[in-house]
């Protein structure tokens, strides 16, 4: 079976370094935060070409704290997209603010900047673009809109480790950025993890305090905070993996080229990559007709697939309170109906890509 993601292959390739890093934390007994986490923060901030990185316990927590640090709260509106993992929407609601959704671009599947302006009201406080699948959103257009209206830009970079837009790294483009280190991400922990990246020292300080129960000094709580701290073991593991991330990213990009070569001319839509950006292919998503039949055929051929994401946020029962209806975001709905994620991980072999392409070509009409 060819898996969608092969975490075992990756672990085997770095097992000695990982095991040493974990034992180092066990010997130090710095199990929560500690020097390994602090060192990872410095290294990841440098990787993103940003001033600070604050490590937390998940990508969702990173989104939540980024919004809070920016002053988002009840009565505010935050513009984002319906085609994303639900954490994007949930984190906005955690602050008491209202998510205002706009449709996506039909090629990149990221937020359509042309729709942002008409969604802006006097209550709009921020724009939260999602760099979906490893493709940066159109940040030049988004930042131009935001600066003209005094809005904060918070990047949802959960899938965009190492991606860039015109040579600038995702994470350094907006006022703040939230990353996830969920195990399957391009830079994944061995458990949950996340980080907020910013070059604003005030934001960074506020997030450091909020992640640790609002303490500026032990047992002195300046703010109502949260238990959002990163484990020391995750910090140590992420340091090892960060050193390999560029090589892994280039492998993903080579796989995407090979997929594109083998799938060209077929009856499916391969990913579009903006010429001015570096797509890092967290997900290699194609669009196919009769997706369920296609998935079943691939499954019987020994190939796992995924769907990211089958139901847009505005059609999720839990978020009916947003007040949107089917038909409000036709592009997001159309993409969600036929998008299919093919296997993508650095250790994927050319022969496996050939096998996947052959199976796709043999899908019954």
């Amino acid at each position: 079976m060819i898996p969608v993601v092969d975490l075992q292959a990756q672990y085997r390739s770095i097992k000695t370094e990982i095991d040493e890093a974990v034992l180092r934390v066990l010997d130090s007994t710095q199990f929560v935060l500690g020097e390994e986490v602090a060192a990872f923060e410095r290294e990841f901030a440098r990787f993103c070409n940003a001033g600070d990185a604050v490590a937390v316990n998940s990508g969702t927590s990173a989104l939540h704290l980024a919004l809070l640090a920016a002053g988002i709260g009840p009565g505010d509106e935050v513009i984002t997209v319906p085609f994303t993992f639900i954490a994007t929407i949930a984190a906005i609601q955690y602050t008491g603010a209202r998510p205002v959704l706009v449709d996506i671009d039909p090629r990149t599947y990221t937020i359509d900047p042309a729709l942002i302006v008409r969604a802006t009201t006097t209550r709009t406080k921020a724009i939260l673009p999602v760099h979906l699948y490893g493709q940066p959103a159109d940040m030049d257009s988004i930042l131009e809109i935001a600066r003209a209206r005094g809005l904060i830009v918070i990047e949802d970079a959960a899938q965009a480790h190492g991606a860039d837009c015109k040579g600038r790294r995702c994470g350094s483009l907006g006022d703040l950025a939230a990353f996830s280190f969920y195990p399957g991400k391009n830079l994944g922990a061995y458990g949950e993890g996340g980080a907020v990246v910013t070059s604003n020292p005030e934001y960074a300080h506020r997030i450091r305090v909020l992640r640790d129960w609002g303490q500026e000094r032990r047992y002195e709580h300046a703010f109502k905070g949260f238990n959002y701290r990163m484990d020391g073991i995750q910090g140590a593991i992420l340091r090892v993996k960060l050193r390999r991330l560029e090589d892994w990213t280039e492998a993903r990009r080579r796989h995407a080229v090979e997929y594109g070569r083998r799938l060209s001319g077929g009856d499916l839509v391969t990913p579009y990559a903006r010429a001015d950006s570096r797509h890092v292919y967290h997900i290699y998503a194609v669009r196919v007709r009769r997706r369920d039949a296609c998935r079943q055929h691939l499954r019987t051929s020994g190939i796992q697939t995924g769907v990211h994401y089958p139901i847009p946020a505005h059609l999720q029962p839990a978020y009916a309170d947003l007040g949107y209806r089917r038909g409000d975001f036709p592009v997001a709905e159309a993409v969600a109906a036929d998008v299919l994620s093919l296997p993508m991980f650095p250790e994927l072999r050319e022969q496996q890509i050939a096998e996947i392409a052959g199976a796709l070509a043999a899908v019954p009409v």
Side-chain angles (χ1 to χ4, degrees):
M1 178 68 73
I2 302 175
V4 175
V5 178
D6 192 342
L7 298 182
Q8 290 182 343
Q10 186 179 87
Y11 173 57
R12 288 193 296 268
S13 73
I14 54 175
K15 183 180 187 304
T16 299
E17 290 178 77
I18 290 290
D19 293 354
E20 289 174 354
V22 171
L23 288 173
R24 193 166 62 240
V25 176
L26 297 180
D27 286 339
S28 75
T29 69
Q30 292 185 322
F31 301 128
V32 179
L33 297 178
E35 180 50 36
E36 292 289 345
V37 172
F40 171 68
E41 290 175 328
R42 294 189 296 270
E43 292 160 8
F44 191 64
R46 191 159 54 244
F47 176 82
C48 294
N49 297 322
D52 275 293
V54 184
V56 294
N57 63 343
S58 73
T60 306
S61 298
L63 283 166
H64 186 197
L65 294 190
L67 289 157
L68 290 177
I72 307 299
D76 295 329
E77 293 178 349
V78 178
I79 296 174
T80 192
V81 291
F83 192 61
T84 180
F85 182 62
I86 206 65
T88 309
I89 311 300
I92 296 169
Q93 290 197 320
Y94 290 167
T95 70
R98 177 174 180 264
V100 174
L101 307 183
V102 301
D103 214 343
I104 56 174
D105 180 274
R107 294 193 299 175
T108 65
Y109 313 149
T110 60
I111 194 167
D112 186 341
L115 302 177
I116 294 174
V117 174
R118 70 184 72 170
T120 303
T121 72
T122 56
R123 294 180 296 278
T124 304
K125 189 77 170 283
I127 305 170
L128 182 52
V130 179
H131 303 316
L132 195 75
Y133 300 159
Q135 169 105 276
D138 182 358
M139 292 300 293
D140 281 356
S141 298
I142 293 165
L143 290 167
E144 182 179 357
I145 293 167
R147 300 310 177 228
R149 291 162 176 77
L151 305 177
I152 295 164
V153 176
I154 302 170
E155 302 170 66
D156 184 337
Q159 302 180 6
H161 315 74
D164 68 44
C165 185
K166 294 186 177 178
R168 294 182 59 203
R169 277 274 163 87
C170 290
S172 68
L173 301 169
D175 299 289
L176 304 108
F179 287 86
S180 167
F181 305 125
Y182 187 75
K185 292 297 196 292
N186 292 27
L187 179 61
Y190 288 175
E192 298 278 2
V196 183
V197 173
T198 182
S199 291
N200 183 314
E202 293 183 8
Y203 288 158
H205 174 72
R206 183 73 179 270
I207 293 163
R208 290 187 192 281
V209 172
L210 288 173
R211 75 171 172 184
D212 191 14
W213 291 114
Q215 301 176 104
E216 291 193 313
R217 286 180 294 276
R218 192 162 177 80
Y219 301 130
E220 293 185 26
H221 303 272
F223 306 101
K224 294 178 180 178
F226 307 88
N227 182 10
Y228 283 176
R229 300 167 296 200
M230 177 177 277
D231 292 346
I233 287 175
Q234 303 306 336
I237 289 168
L238 288 165
R239 292 186 70 199
V240 172
K241 297 182 78 173
L242 181 59
R243 295 194 289 268
R244 307 292 185 91
L245 182 55
E246 277 300 297
D247 289 341
W248 290 339
T249 297
E250 286 306 308
R252 287 175 180 271
R253 287 169 55 79
R254 288 193 298 272
H255 299 336
V257 171
E258 184 65 14
Y259 264 129
R261 184 179 73 82
R262 291 187 177 273
L263 297 177
S264 63
D267 191 22
L268 52 75
V269 179
T270 56
Y272 170 81
R274 288 167 41 122
D276 61 355
S277 299
R278 184 196 194 203
H279 196 320
V280 296
Y281 296 99
H282 168 58
I283 301 290
Y284 190 88
V286 298
R287 295 181 66 182
V288 297
R289 294 186 302 168
R290 300 175 64 241
R291 180 177 64 204
D292 291 346
C294 182
R295 291 194 78 190
Q296 180 59 39
H297 174 77
L298 292 176
R299 186 180 301 113
T300 58
S301 302
I303 300 164
Q304 288 184 347
T305 58
V307 178
H308 301 85
Y309 299 95
I311 306 174
H314 69 291
L315 300 180
Q316 297 282 358
Y319 292 90
D321 60 333
L322 296 178
Y324 298 108
R325 299 178 180 178
R326 185 174 296 277
D328 284 345
F329 307 108
V331 180
E333 292 172 26
V335 173
D338 59 21
V339 73
L340 180 67
S341 303
L342 302 181
M344 174 57 83
F345 47 92
E347 299 78 15
L348 192 65
R349 300 189 305 274
E350 184 174 331
Q351 178 55 41
Q352 290 176 312
I353 295 174
E355 184 178 337
I356 295 162
L360 283 167
V363 173
V365 177

